[in-house]
């Protein structure tokens, strides 16, 4: 058997080069483009990894640009949707508004009225404070319809009249008034008589109060409230119409305490609680003060006492809440006993009639007020107050030297 021998020859380098050129030309022919190396801004050509990285960055930029365009488009659509929704809602509100107009208008009117009332009340309060007359002390002399002679006896002794009364208020800040309420019958003969008396003397303070002996606690509250609303005074004084008072000495005494808060000054006492009926000063609510035989808490005797402005305001603000006991001086003490009040016991506010007040005057210790303990005032004051005044009245220089 014959064996065929195949001879293998080497490819010439020329053929290899020719085949490479033909292969490249064929690729260019079918792809229709030639690859151009990327260039930098300065004209240099980029190769390798840097060229590939630049391509990646370009792709990222294109994607980011496309994302932004997409986000802007979606935002525009959202705004358009909101605007359409708002337009529809606004139109709906406009359609519903007339239906609730009457109710909302009514509510607004009520709210406006309420606000106006509050503002008006606040303004009125401020205006009232501005209109109040400044004073050092306001003295309220407790009197009754039947006490015309007592009032006249005071006018003839220690209560100034006419121009002197006005001058006392303007220059010294001392206001003196007879305080009295009304009768149970409107515009009765008693009320008309008081009105005529006031027209003559200009020294009466009318209270919103029905007169009655057993209503003295209510009358005291009414006086403090009325006086506080009328005058902005440092002190408010209550005096009975059968007591002699030295105005200059009273003013000087109170002026020593004018810088102190919550002052309650008078002749302090603590008498027994009278539980038996049909006796003077009987206390129907005696059981509130403990066991039989107990005494009242310390309080100023009712003939004369004074309280400072802040305490008068407290009584005025709480007039409807303050409980009234049978005795007026006990009531005042009860109103103040639970407060941070300074109780000042001044025995010159409860001197006896001559010879006691006369001796004190001669020794230079002038009495603020004088009366008889046995009568709870000057006994038969209409007849005797002139004698007390002649022997115990202060010198005119004391009041003249007082500075408001």
């Amino acid at each position: 058997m014959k064996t065929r021998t195949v001879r293998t020859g080497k490819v010439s380098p020329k053929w290899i080069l020719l085949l490479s050129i033909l292969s490249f030309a064929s690729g260019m022919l079918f792809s229709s483009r030639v690859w151009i190396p990327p260039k930098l801004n300065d004209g240099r050509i980029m190769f390798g990894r840097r060229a590939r990285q630049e391509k990646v960055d370009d792709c990222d930029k294109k994607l980011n640009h496309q994302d932004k365009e997409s986000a802007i488009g979606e935002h525009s659509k959202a705004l358009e949707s909101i605007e359409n929704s708002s337009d529809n809602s606004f139109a709906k509100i406009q359609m519903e508004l007339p239906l609730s107009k009457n109710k909302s208008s009514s509510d607004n009117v009520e709210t406006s009225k309420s606000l106006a009332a509050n503002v008006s009340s606040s303004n009125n309060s401020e205006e009232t404070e501005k209109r109040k007359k400044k004073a050092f002390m306001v003295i309220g002399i407790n009197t009754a319809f039947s006490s015309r002679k007592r009032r006249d006896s005071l006018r003839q002794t220690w209560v100034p009249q006419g121009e002197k009364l006005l001058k006392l208020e303007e220059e010294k800040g001392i206001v003196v008034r007879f305080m009295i309420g009304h009768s149970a019958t409107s515009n009765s003969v008693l009320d008309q008589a008081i009105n005529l008396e006031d027209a003559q003397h200009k020294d009466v303070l009318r209270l919103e109060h029905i007169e009655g002996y057993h209503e003295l606690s209510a009358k005291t509250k009414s006086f403090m409230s009325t006086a506080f609303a009328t005058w902005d005074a440092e002190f408010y004084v209550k005096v009975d119409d059968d007591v002699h008072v030295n105005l200059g000495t009273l003013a000087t005494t109170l002026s020593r305490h004018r810088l102190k808060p919550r002052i309650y000054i008078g002749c302090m006492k603590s008498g027994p609680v009278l539980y038996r009926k049909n006796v003077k000063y009987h206390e129907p609510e005696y059981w509130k003060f403990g066991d039989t035989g107990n005494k009242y808490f310390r309080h100023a005797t009712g003939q004369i006492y004074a309280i400072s402005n802040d305490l008068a305001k407290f009584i005025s603000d709480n007039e409807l809440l303050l409980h009234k006991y049978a005795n007026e001086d006990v009531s005042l003490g009860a109103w103040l006993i639970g407060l941070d009040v300074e109780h000042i016991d001044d025995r010159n506010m409860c001197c006896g009639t001559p010879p006691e007040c006369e001796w004190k005057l001669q020794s230079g210790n002038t009495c603020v007020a004088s009366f008889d303990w046995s009568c709870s005032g000057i006994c038969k004051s209409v007849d005797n107050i002139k004698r007390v005044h002649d022997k115990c009245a202060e010198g005119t220089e004391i009041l003249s030297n007082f500075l408001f």
Side-chain angles (χ1 to χ4, degrees):
M1 181 175 179
K2 294 182 180 180
T3 302
R4 179 178 292 181
T5 301
V6 178
R7 298 177 67 179
T8 303
K10 295 181 179 180
V11 179
S12 172
K14 293 181 179 180
W15 285 105
I16 292 173
L17 178 62
L18 180 61
L19 290 173
S20 297
I21 293 172
L22 289 174
S23 178
F24 177 77
S26 299
M28 291 293 295
L29 178 64
F30 289 104
S31 64
S32 301
R33 64 178 183 178
V34 178
W35 177 77
I36 300 175
K39 295 182 180 181
L40 295 174
N41 292 334
D42 57 2
R44 293 177 297 164
I45 298 175
M46 293 184 297
F47 294 97
R49 182 182 299 174
R50 185 170 183 180
R52 289 193 298 272
Q53 182 63 40
E54 288 294 332
K55 288 183 179 181
V56 171
D57 291 343
D58 287 343
C59 290
D60 289 342
K61 290 180 180 179
K62 289 180 181 180
L63 288 174
N64 289 339
H65 181 69
Q66 291 175 355
D67 291 342
K68 289 180 181 179
E69 289 182 348
S70 176
I72 292 173
E74 291 178 1
H75 181 66
S76 299
K77 290 180 181 179
L79 287 177
E80 183 178 356
S81 175
I82 291 172
E83 289 175 356
N84 292 336
S85 176
S86 298
D87 292 340
N88 293 336
S89 299
F90 184 71
K92 183 177 180 181
I93 291 172
Q94 286 181 317
M95 293 176 65
E96 293 176 352
L97 187 59
L99 298 178
S100 60
K101 183 178 182 181
N102 292 334
K103 184 178 183 303
S104 61
S105 297
S106 176
D107 292 343
N108 289 336
V109 169
E110 292 299 323
T111 302
S112 299
K113 287 182 178 179
S114 177
L115 290 173
N118 291 336
V119 171
S120 176
S121 176
S122 176
N123 291 338
N124 289 338
S125 178
E126 293 177 359
E127 291 175 2
T128 300
E129 288 295 322
K130 291 179 181 178
R131 287 198 304 268
K132 286 169 65 172
K133 302 173 185 177
K134 293 287 184 180
F136 173 68
M137 65 178 177
V138 176
I139 302 173
I141 305 172
N142 182 36
T143 191
F145 288 115
S146 59
S147 299
R148 174 62 190 263
K149 290 183 179 180
R150 284 189 179 184
R151 292 191 292 276
D152 287 341
S153 69
L154 296 189
R155 291 174 179 131
Q156 294 167 8
T157 53
W158 64 269
V159 176
Q161 290 295 287
E163 292 297 326
K164 291 183 179 180
L165 185 66
L166 293 176
K167 187 176 181 181
L168 185 67
E169 295 181 17
E170 294 174 358
E171 296 183 2
K172 303 299 181 181
I174 299 175
V175 179
V176 184
R177 294 289 187 275
F178 291 99
M179 59 166 172
I180 191 168
H182 298 268
S183 65
T185 304
S186 178
N187 198 30
S188 68
V189 175
L190 297 175
D191 288 311
Q192 293 177 23
I194 289 293
N195 292 337
L196 291 174
E197 186 179 339
D198 184 38
Q200 178 184 356
H201 296 284
K202 307 293 185 184
D203 60 0
V204 177
L205 177 64
R206 300 303 298 270
L207 307 177
E208 291 299 323
H209 166 77
I210 303 300
E211 285 292 320
Y213 179 77
H214 296 291
E215 295 297 329
L216 291 180
S217 295
K219 187 174 183 178
T220 297
K221 286 198 297 184
S222 181
F223 164 65
M224 293 298 178
S225 298
T226 303
F228 179 79
T230 308
W231 292 279
D232 181 16
E234 296 182 46
F235 294 95
Y236 298 84
V237 184
K238 180 261 177 179
V239 183
D240 285 341
D241 61 2
D242 55 358
V243 173
H244 181 267
V245 176
N246 284 315
L247 290 175
T249 304
L250 174 60
T252 302
T253 299
L254 295 181
S255 67
R256 299 190 190 108
H257 308 286
R258 68 194 310 175
L259 299 180
K260 302 176 183 178
R262 299 177 300 282
I263 295 299
Y264 175 32
I265 182 170
C267 287
M268 298 295 164
K269 66 174 185 176
S270 179
V273 180
L274 301 177
Y275 63 93
R276 293 180 180 176
K277 295 182 179 180
N278 302 322
V279 298
K280 192 176 183 180
Y281 308 127
H282 166 64
E283 179 58 71
E285 297 180 272
Y286 62 89
W287 61 274
K288 289 185 177 180
F289 298 91
D291 297 333
T292 301
N294 279 359
K295 291 184 176 182
Y296 288 113
F297 40 76
R298 193 71 61 179
H299 62 278
T301 186
Q303 286 83 354
I304 180 173
Y305 53 74
I307 61 174
S308 54
N309 181 282
D310 39 17
L311 296 183
K313 182 180 186 302
F314 170 78
I315 294 173
S316 178
D317 291 345
N318 299 281
E319 183 178 1
L320 299 178
L321 299 177
L322 298 176
H323 182 69
K324 304 185 296 293
Y325 290 99
N327 299 298
E328 164 256 338
D329 53 356
V330 172
S331 293
L332 180 69
W335 301 337
L336 305 181
I337 194 67
L339 305 180
D340 186 13
V341 172
E342 182 178 354
H343 291 59
I344 299 176
D345 182 23
D346 192 327
R347 307 316 289 183
N348 273 345
M349 295 183 72
C350 53
C351 295
T353 55
E356 182 183 344
C357 61
E358 185 178 8
W359 294 339
K360 287 192 172 184
L361 177 65
Q362 292 173 355
S363 65
N365 188 22
T366 306
C367 291
V368 172
S370 302
F371 57 88
D372 297 307
W373 281 103
S374 60
C375 297
S376 297
I378 298 175
C379 297
K380 297 181 179 179
S381 64
V382 174
D383 299 326
N384 293 321
I385 195 168
K386 180 67 166 62
R387 178 180 63 87
V388 175
H389 183 70
D390 291 341
K391 293 184 177 294
C392 300
E394 64 192 4
T396 57
E397 71 281 355
I398 296 180
L399 185 57
S400 298
N401 294 334
F402 174 74
L403 299 177
F404 173 32

